[in-house]
Amino acid sequence: GSKLRLGSSKCISCSGRINGRKGLYSVAKSKPVYFIKCNEFLKIGSSDNPERRVRDMCSSNPYEVKLLKVDTDNNEEYWHDLLKEYHYKGEWYWYNKVCEIVDV
């Protein structure tokens, strides 16, 4: 426990929970947030290279995948909290319900 509280754990997710932060949000604070549309869903995540993230998703997805927006002003946790009522699962949200809020 003391190693986690001091941040010396190699498990970022666990140390974030111990220190009152959710999962990997503590690491993703400075990364750009991407908005990727796939069918009726919108994926909201963070990455140093959102374009590469789209390419990776395209190779394992039979549907069209499109990068709609990259936000460098707000972090991923901000968007997930703002859109929590439209959450589907994981980092996925219902596109039609959030497209105007996200401005995509």
Side-chain angles (χ1 to χ4, degrees):
S2 62
K3 286 184 180 180
L4 289 173
R5 282 189 291 282
L6 295 172
S8 59
S9 170
K10 293 190 190 274
C11 179
I12 295 165
S13 181
C14 292
S15 65
R17 286 190 190 108
I18 294 293
N19 290 311
R21 296 182 303 270
K22 288 171 76 178
L24 296 176
Y25 287 141
S26 59
V27 173
K29 291 230 184 254
S30 62
K31 292 184 180 181
V33 177
Y34 60 76
F35 299 82
I36 297 174
K37 184 177 186 296
C38 181
N39 279 359
E40 70 265 28
F41 300 106
L42 184 69
K43 181 174 179 66
I44 302 172
S46 59
S47 173
D48 287 328
N49 190 337
E51 291 80 11
R52 184 182 66 218
R53 184 71 182 108
V54 170
R55 284 194 308 272
D56 292 345
M57 287 180 65
C58 285
S59 67
S60 62
N61 193 329
Y63 305 107
E64 180 182 2
V65 176
K66 183 177 180 183
L67 178 64
L68 299 179
K69 177 178 180 172
V70 176
D71 181 9
T72 56
D73 296 329
N74 301 294
N75 62 25
E76 182 180 359
E77 186 175 14
Y78 165 83
W79 286 107
H80 286 204
D81 286 343
L82 181 67
L83 303 172
K84 64 185 166 196
E85 67 183 282
Y86 308 112
H87 182 247
Y88 174 65
K89 67 179 178 179
E91 295 179 338
W92 293 94
Y93 296 81
W94 295 102
Y95 175 77
N96 289 335
K97 299 190 185 226
V98 302
C99 63
E100 289 183 19
I101 298 169
V102 176
D103 190 28
V104 291

